[in-house]
Amino acid sequence: MTAKLIIIGMGGHSKVAADVARRSGYELLGFLDNREPAVPHGAYLGPVDDFPYEEHRDTQFFVGIGSNAVRQKVAGRLAARGVEFATLIDPSAILGSGVMIGSGTLVMPGCIINADSRIGQQVILNTAATVDHDCVVGDYAHLSPGVHLAGAVQIGALTHVGIGASVIQTVQIGARAVIGAGAAVVRNIPDDVTAVGVPAKVIKTNS
């Protein structure tokens, strides 16, 4: 029986998630969003909080929201209502042995996750991101397109790594950090900061 799916959000991130879902064999029923989009890219089912989730226990849900903090907030509200989250992995992605991926995570086209890496819940691994062996990516993190993690890297929860950034082996990046596009991270980065450049340097504390 084909699994049914409803996606939360109708922005660009949800559009890509919908493509991955279709390629993965889901029956996409539509989208929930608190604002009805002017140009929807699928069936609009209404506001997020007004949907009768209890009547759709045979349906999985996916939070297709790019903002880490907003995704965490929405996923928490839905979890309290007992919804089942889908994990979407594009058929073109390559997963090594021993890889673990949490619920609600999206692995986009061209991603590679090597042996024994652990990816948390509600994570975004964007287009062609690579995660080498023994990495840990925390819940609600986002690796942008073309990010490369060498072996045994740790990425904290809610951290956003910008497009094309690279992180050398065994480096640890804290929670809620922001790594700029194209950065080369060669030393540990603490929680709650923004780091940019080659090599990456902390430029500010995130409020």
Side-chain angles (χ1 to χ4, degrees), residues 99 166 185:
V99 168
S166 299
V185 185

Side-chain angles (χ1 to χ4, degrees), residues 16-77:
V16 178
D19 274 352
V20 173
R22 293 186 188 100
R23 286 194 292 270
S24 301
Y26 281 90
E27 178 187 353
L28 183 58
L29 302 183
F31 299 81
L32 298 170
D33 198 297
N34 287 338
R35 297 182 187 176
E36 184 172 2
V39 184
H41 46 261
Y44 176 64
L45 304 178
V48 176
D49 294 329
D50 296 343
F51 190 77
Y53 296 94
E54 296 76 11
E55 299 175 13
H56 291 78
R57 294 302 185 193
D58 63 339
T59 300
Q60 296 182 47
F61 293 81
F62 181 83
V63 184
I65 296 173
S67 165
N68 293 343
V70 175
R71 190 166 68 258
Q72 180 190 42
K73 186 179 298 184
V74 172
R77 293 207 308 266

Side-chain angles (χ1 to χ4, degrees), residues 96-178:
S97 61
V99 168
M100 300 176 64
I101 298 178
S103 67
T105 285
L106 174 61
V107 180
M108 289 193 187
C111 286
I112 299 173
I113 309 172
N114 279 330
D116 294 323
S117 285
R118 290 181 287 143
I119 312 299
Q121 298 181 24
Q122 305 285 343
V123 170
I124 299 170
L125 296 186
N126 221 310
T127 309
T130 64
V131 177
D132 219 298
H133 64 90
D134 300 297
C135 289
V136 177
V137 179
D139 296 344
Y140 304 101
H142 182 173
L143 305 187
S144 296
V147 165
H148 300 302
L149 306 184
V153 167
Q154 295 187 34
I155 305 293
L158 291 153
T159 284
H160 185 189
V161 184
I163 188 169
S166 299
V167 185
I168 69 167
Q169 64 273 14
T170 72
V171 161
Q172 299 180 25
I173 298 176
R176 300 171 301 278
V178 176

